[in-house]
């Protein structure tokens, strides 16, 4: 019995220390394996600082690797360690990361509910006085502001309007319509020609397409955000009209077969085959249509206009500023972190990022060489509305609205769906 | 037999590991169900049972998630347990073909959930999916569906994907169980002239009780927790027609920043599974002694 | 019954084989061909995805990390789990049930509840971004499954056999190591397969607990090909297939513990 006791004790200690020991051993010795992914070497000289940069854009890794090595050359004391977590895992992982005491130094966040929650928890360093703020288009910085402070700087601009097939349109002699009747006729003509008028991507499009549909039906942003305090309801006329119009599109068969069961990748592929008029996503999908699907046709952006006459339409499209760079309030290397954001804000670096990733940026004086971006540049001068869904700072309310859209598209009566959605909102507000 | 004190030593290493790295954080996490913590801020308030009260009286999405979870779990448990038993019986012998088939059946379990989700989203796609294409070829085109886009259908479509991914895994438990049945038992029964069917019901099936208990309980727990697949394929949609408890906990904790509330859901989640599992153990043991 | 069971087995095999074949074929396609030509790529098969994967990511290094984490966690979990299962068998009945119950309940906790507390605890213990910390957490989270399966089978072991060994003067460790464990090998092998797959494929904890490239595991390596708007599926499939090889090997290796041939007479049909 004694023997077994000793054996067990030795084993227990042995196993645990072996596990911990071999782990720390590896983290010390394995440094040579990192080269290919760049950014990650961790030499520890006393003057050197390592900052962590957390974001969700896997497709930007090669471009960021280049930018980071340029930054490290200019700032030999600072090493940037990039950590990429795809957007479907991002919110949960970032939350845990920021809660801890050694979280990322520079991190990105989404506008709207996520930004508000992080701001409320006091996790942003105020960037208001930073010189690099001047490098940005001041009217594109709003999504990162709260109470007059610039807590984060949005880096990208996207246009959340359907992408349309310009070649197909001109072949059929169609023009982007300027009122609701025109939009219905357009869809009818596409359908009559055997094409799918609108390709809808299940989970994603509901939240995207709704923005375009609602922007002119509920033109007053205060009325829209009234959903957050109960001063407006989903059953109010503007919202209801939007749901009725969505229902009309679904009933007339203007979406492809099974819109809610189609994934984003499949929708993109269907649109890329050239047999459909519009893809109900946004400007960000132009590159995947081109690159992943090798489509040769020209594309443009157009939002459905839902008003009876063109002059009633206050807006012609939607923009979103996102990928908001922030500095962790708990960071021990704030100066280095701010230096890194400052570097990203320089027009030539921002141009390198934009052209390398085909993303339009919020930085001023950027020279776009990428043809897709060049074509998109004029959009910025149009009457655009900031994505209404991102003005809803309560994600539960956002989901209630998106669920209502999905219910309508799966055939629920618009009034009944709106009532159900409003019930969900009431409940979300009572939980606050 | 008298219990020797030294037996308690056997529990120390595993118990310690479990306590420090599992039980402590878990108990802390569950205790948050009595708070309003948002998951980000430094502080929180104790709110007593108000999260629980809200869940039961006010939260229709929660009620819907409970219903969806039960539909999902019941379909998976019945079909998956049945399949894994049948295939274990058929593929029992270690012939080359059987070993190959068992490995093939097991393969989906190895695939990362992102691949399983992609495969099934692709199969179910209403326009370019394989399933609808096959139905059309065999003349059943009228059965074609938007499998995960149809609110009445989606939860069962997800259950099929889950069964596909895990049947080969639970087959292993049945193989382990079948192996523990002494050869003589079957020989004796056969000499006494029992038919194969009788041997199965009178000898094999009762002796498989421990394996069946484990398979049924494990499948129940696993399908209750089937987060990855549902999250990747539908994220609870369309609407909230495939919202299950596991995705609802995620949404509350991380999308809505109600970590405290999510913990309350998790607490109920745990109690419900515990009760169901205990009932299963009870029923299966009762049957054994009868 | 033969007429029924042969087609059944092969139909199910096809249900698995076809999608898996699609994945394998897709890993040899270009991204353009993936959707545009679901059946056969217009531009022929290519090993481009494998090339991208091996050139852009230090795959071998991640492989070694994954293997280290999986093996270390499995060794701990199998041994400790078997020991606890044995203790459950030898403890007074009620106490045994309680211990079994506590571990089983551990399986019923959704990970979303304890992921933040685990992260906070690991930060305090200074174990974030070490493979050792990851191993301990993975092992701790596997303990419930291990006790559930091994313990569930050990309960059925004949007590007389153990009794006899005690009379012969064997101590607890000897009984456990020489009698109980060998008799439980099928369930230990099952647990090894279950646990091996869980740890090998785990995304959540490596994401949460490792930061630097030196400590990344295989599933994380594939994440850089998952984009926000476009996902490079051929590369991901190539990675999934390559990284599944060790698990297939493990499975085939552990199959020899399912030497069920001798009981086959019972159900031979």
């Amino acid at each position: 019995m004694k023997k077994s006791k000793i054996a067990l004790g030795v084993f227990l200690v042995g196993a645990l220390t072996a596990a911990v020991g071999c782990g720390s051993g590896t983290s010390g010795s394995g440094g040579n394996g990192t080269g290919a992914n760049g950014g990650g070497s961790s030499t520890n000289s006393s003057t050197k600082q390592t900052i962590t940069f957390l974001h969700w854009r896997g497709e930007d890794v090669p471009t960021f690797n280049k930018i980071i090595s340029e930054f490290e050359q200019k700032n030999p004391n600072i090493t940037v360690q990039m950590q990429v977590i795809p957007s479907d895992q991002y919110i949960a992982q970032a939350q845990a990361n920021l809660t801890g005491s050694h979280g990322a130094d520079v991190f990105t966040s989404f506008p709207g509910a996520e930004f508000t929650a992080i701001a409320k928890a006091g996790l942003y360093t105020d960037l208001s006085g930073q010189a690099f703020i001047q490098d940005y288009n001041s009217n594109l910085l709003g999504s990162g502001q709260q109470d007059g402070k610039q807590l984060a700087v949005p880096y990208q601009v996207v246009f959340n309007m359907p992408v349309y097939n310009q070649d197909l349109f001109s072949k059929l002699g169609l023009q982007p319509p300027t009122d609701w009747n025109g939009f219905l006729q357009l869809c009818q003509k596409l359908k009559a020609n055997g094409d799918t008028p609108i390709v809808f991507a299940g989970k994603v499009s509901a939240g995207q397409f709704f923005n375009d549909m609602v922007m002119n039906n509920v033109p007053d942003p205060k009325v829209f955000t009234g959903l957050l305090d109960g001063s407006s309801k989903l059953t109010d006329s503007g919202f209801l009209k939007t749901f009725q119009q969505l229902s009309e599109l679904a009933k007339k068969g203007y979406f492809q077969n099974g819109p809610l069961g189609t994934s984003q990748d499949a929708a993109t592929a269907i649109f890329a085959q050239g047999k459909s008029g519009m893809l109900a996503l946004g400007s960000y999908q132009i590159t995947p249509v081109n690159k992943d699907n090798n489509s040769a046709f020209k594309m443009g952006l157009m939002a459905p206009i839902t008003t009876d006459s063109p002059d009633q339409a206050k807006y012609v499209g939607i923009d979103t500023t996102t990928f908001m760079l922030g500095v962790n309030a708990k960071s021990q290397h704030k100066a280095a972190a701010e230096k890194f954001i400052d570097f990203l804000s320089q027009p030539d670096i921002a141009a390198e990022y934009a052209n390398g990733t085909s993303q339009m940026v919020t930085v001023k004086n950027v020279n776009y060489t990428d043809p897709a971006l060049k074509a998109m540049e004029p959009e910025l001068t149009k009457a655009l509305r900031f994505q209404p869904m991102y003005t809803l700072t309560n994600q539960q309310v956002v989901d209630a609205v998106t669920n209502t859209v999905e219910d309508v598209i799966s055939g629920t009566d618009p009034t009944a769906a709106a009532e159900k959605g409003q019930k969900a909102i009431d409940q979300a507000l009572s939980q606050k | 037999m008298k219990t020797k004190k030294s037996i308690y030593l056997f529990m120390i290493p595993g118990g310690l590991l479990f306590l420090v790295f599992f039980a402590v954080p878990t108990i802390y996490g569950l205790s948050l169900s009595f708070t309003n913590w948002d998951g980000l801020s430094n502080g929180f308030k104790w709110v007593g049972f108000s999260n629980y009260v809200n869940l039961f009286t006010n939260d229709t999405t929660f009620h819907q998630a409970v219903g969806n979870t039960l539909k999902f779990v019941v379909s998976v448990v019945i079909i998956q347990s049945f399949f894994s038993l049948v295939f274990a019986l058929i593929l029992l012998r270690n012939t080359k073909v059987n070993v190959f088939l068992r490995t093939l059946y097991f393969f989906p379990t190895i695939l990362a959930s992102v691949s399983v989700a992609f495969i099934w989203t692709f199969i179910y796609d209403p326009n370019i999916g394989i399933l609808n294409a096959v139905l059309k070829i065999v003349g059943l085109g009228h059965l074609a569906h938007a499998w995960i886009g149809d609110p009445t259908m989606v939860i069962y479509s997800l259950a099929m994907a889950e069964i596909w991914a895990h049947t080969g895994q639970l087959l292993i438990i049945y193989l382990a169980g079948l192996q523990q049945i002494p050869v003589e038992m079957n020989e004796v029964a056969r000499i006494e002239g029992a038919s194969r069917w009788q041997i199965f019901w009178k000898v094999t099936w009762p002796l498989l009780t421990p394996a069946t208990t484990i398979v049924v309980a494990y499948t129940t727990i696993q399908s209750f927790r089937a987060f990855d697949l549902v999250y990747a394929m539908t994220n609870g949609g369309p609407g909230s027609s495939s919202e299950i408890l596991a995705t609802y906990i995620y949404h509350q904790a991380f999308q809505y920043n109600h970590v405290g509330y999510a913990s309350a859901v998790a607490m109920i989640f745990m109690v419900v599974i515990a009760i169901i599992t205990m009932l299963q153990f009870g029923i299966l043991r009762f049957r054994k002694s009868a | 019954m033969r007429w029924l069971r042969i087609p059944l087995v092969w139909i199910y095999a096809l249900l698995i084989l076809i999608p898996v074949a699609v994945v394998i074929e897709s890993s040899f396609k270009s991204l353009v061909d993936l959707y545009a030509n679901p059946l056969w790529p217009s531009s022929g098969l290519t090993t481009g995805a494998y090339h991208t994967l091996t050139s852009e990511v230090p795959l071998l290094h991640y492989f070694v990390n994954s293997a280290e984490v999986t093996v270390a966690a499995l060794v701990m979990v199998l041994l400790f789990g078997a020991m606890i299962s044995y203790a459950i068998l030898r403890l007074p009945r009620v106490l045994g049930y309680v211990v079994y119950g506590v571990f089983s309940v551990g399986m019923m906790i959704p990970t979303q509840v304890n992921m933040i507390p685990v992260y906070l605890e690991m930060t305090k213990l200074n174990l974030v971004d070490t493979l050792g910390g990851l191993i301990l957490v993975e092992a701790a989270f596997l303990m419930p499954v291990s006790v559930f399966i091994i313990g569930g089978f050990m309960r059925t072991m004949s007590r007389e056999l153990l009794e006899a060994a005690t009379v012969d003067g064997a101590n607890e460790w000897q009984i456990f190591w020489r009698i109980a464990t060998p008799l439980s090998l099928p369930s230990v092998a099952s647990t090894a397969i279950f646990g091996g797959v869980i740890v090998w494929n785990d995304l959540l904890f490596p994401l949460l607990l490792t930061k630097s490239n030196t400590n990344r595991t295989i599933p994380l390596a594939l994440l850089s090909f998952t984009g926000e708007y476009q996902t490079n599926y051929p590369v991901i499939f190539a990675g999934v297939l390559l990284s599944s090889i060790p698990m297939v090997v493990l499975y085939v290796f552990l199959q020899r513990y399912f030497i069920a041939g001798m009981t086959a007479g019972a159900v031979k049909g």
Side-chain angles (χ1 to χ4, degrees), chain B residues 34-55:
Chain B
F34 301 103
T35 73
N36 67 350
W37 195 41
D38 64 3
L40 282 165
S41 306
N42 271 330
F44 50 72
K45 266 196 291 215
W46 293 91
V47 295
F49 283 90
S50 78
N51 286 332
Y52 292 90
V53 173
N54 201 349
L55 265 176

Side-chain angles (χ1 to χ4, degrees), chain C residues 238-256:
Chain C
V240 165
L241 289 171
L242 283 184
S243 67
S244 71
I245 293 172
M247 289 297 109
V248 174
V249 172
L250 177 79
Y251 183 81
V252 172
F253 169 74
L254 288 173
Q255 284 244 355
R256 67 197 182 93

Side-chain angles (χ1 to χ4, degrees), chain A residues 1 5 8 12 88 91-92 95 99 117 121 123 203 256-258 260-261 263 266 395-396 399 403 406 427 430-431, chain B residues 6 9 13 39-41 54 58-60 121 125-127 149 231-232 234 238-239 250 252-258 261:
Chain A
M1 195 178 127
K5 249 184 206 172
L8 266 178
L12 165 70
D88 59 345
I91 294 185
Q95 195 163 318
T99 313
L123 291 173
K203 291 189 284 182
Q256 86 277 24
N257 191 8
L260 297 176
S263 69
Q395 188 63 32
Q396 227 168 336
D399 285 2
N403 286 348
E406 292 183 7
Q427 194 182 305
S430 75
Q431 210 185 320
Chain B
S6 61
L9 291 175
L40 282 165
S41 306
N54 201 349
N58 197 16
D59 192 338
T60 46
T121 312
D125 188 282
N127 299 292
Y231 180 67
T234 65
Y250 177 87
Q252 283 290 349
F254 300 112
Q255 309 265 37
Y256 307 155
N257 292 101
H258 295 150
Y261 194 73

